[in-house]
Amino acid sequence: MYKNLLSFQYSIHKEDQYLYLMVGKKYGNAVSRNKLKRRLRTMYNDMLKTQPYLGLMAKPIQNNIDFKDINAAYEQLLSTIQGQLK
């Protein structure tokens, strides 16, 4: 459902813990790009509480993504990761 908003690649190995944000100028002006990056960092830090060895690359596909959509995309990603660990 949220695959058309954000693109994720992740690693859950013990030696990997990184966050790469790829937000280009096509996304919008500097204010909107930095706002998106702040929101993505916040969600990533929340995910580290449950998945301490998470490496994540995130790239927006659409412009002007709402916070609720970012949160829903992260929840979907977290459930996918937890499903793989079981």
Side-chain angles (χ1 to χ4, degrees):
M1 181 172 169
Y2 292 98
K3 293 190 185 269
N4 59 349
L5 296 176
L6 290 165
S7 172
F8 294 112
Q9 291 182 355
Y10 61 91
S11 173
I12 49 177
H13 297 291
K14 203 169 198 175
E15 62 274 353
D16 292 336
Q17 184 180 6
Y18 59 85
L19 175 64
Y20 293 134
L21 301 174
M22 297 173 281
V23 184
K25 287 187 178 182
K26 288 184 180 181
Y27 183 78
N29 60 12
V31 173
S32 62
R33 289 192 310 266
N34 290 331
K35 186 177 182 180
L36 175 67
K37 290 189 274 188
R38 278 194 312 270
R39 290 177 174 177
L40 291 173
R41 282 187 200 107
T42 302
M43 295 295 169
Y44 177 73
N45 287 332
D46 289 341
M47 288 178 76
L48 284 179
K49 294 174 186 172
T50 59
Q51 301 294 328
Y53 303 114
L54 177 66
L56 183 66
M57 292 173 55
K59 180 178 181 183
I61 297 174
Q62 288 186 356
N63 297 347
N64 300 324
I65 303 171
D66 292 333
F67 185 70
K68 65 178 181 73
D69 292 333
I70 295 171
N71 195 15
Y74 265 98
E75 292 295 326
Q76 185 179 15
L77 176 65
L78 189 59
S79 66
T80 302
I81 291 170
Q82 289 175 346
Q84 285 184 352
L85 294 176
K86 290 182 181 182

